[in-house]
Amino acid sequence: MAQVWQKWRWDGLGLSIAGLCLLHCLITTVLLTIFATAGGLLLNPMIHEVGLGLAILLGVLALGKGFRAHGLFMPAFIGALGIGMMGGALTLPHGTMEIALTVIGVVFLGLGHLLNHRARR
């Protein structure tokens, strides 16, 4: 059981955070459509900045450790591309493009973590 935790520790945490981010983005979009007043709370820039900081930290830890273990660039490259998209989305005004770029970035980051995990098997 300890070996399973060792293999999944950082990538599992990274995938979990990516999933939470994706849920946040999708739920925020739905709530904005339904409850315009709730958008002010959920669109607080601090939430996005902290989320990006966590994504960068976990990405560096998990993808970096995976690269050292298996030596493959692709998982780290795809994960970094996703983080870049998420960071780029922070520069856009809130709206459809910001949400789309964030969601696509989260999907790329999650894919990077998944590829990293598969390469470490």
Side-chain angles (χ1 to χ4, degrees):
M1 184 66 164
Q3 272 188 323
V4 171
W5 169 243
Q6 288 287 24
K7 289 176 87 174
W8 265 106
R9 177 178 27 195
W10 296 114
D11 287 316
L13 189 57
L15 281 168
S16 297
I17 296 295
L20 287 174
C21 180
L22 182 62
L23 282 175
H24 162 75
C25 292
L26 295 176
I27 289 171
T28 298
T29 303
V30 170
L31 286 178
L32 279 175
T33 303
I34 298 171
F35 306 107
T37 57
L41 297 173
L42 294 173
L43 289 174
N44 184 332
M46 183 61 78
I47 291 174
H48 297 107
E49 292 163 6
V50 169
L52 180 62
L54 285 172
I56 291 169
L57 177 66
L58 292 172
V60 167
L61 288 172
L63 299 171
K65 185 173 179 148
F67 174 74
R68 285 190 308 274
H70 53 65
L72 298 175
F73 283 103
M74 191 58 68
F77 176 77
I78 290 175
L81 181 62
I83 290 172
M85 288 179 183
M86 293 164 58
L90 281 180
T91 66
L92 299 174
H94 289 299
T96 306
M97 288 303 296
E98 182 251 352
I99 292 168
L101 191 57
T102 300
V103 168
I104 293 168
V106 168
V107 168
F108 270 80
L109 179 56
L111 178 62
H113 282 296
L114 184 62
L115 292 172
N116 194 48
H117 172 70
R118 288 184 177 175
R120 290 177 69 177
R121 285 186 188 183

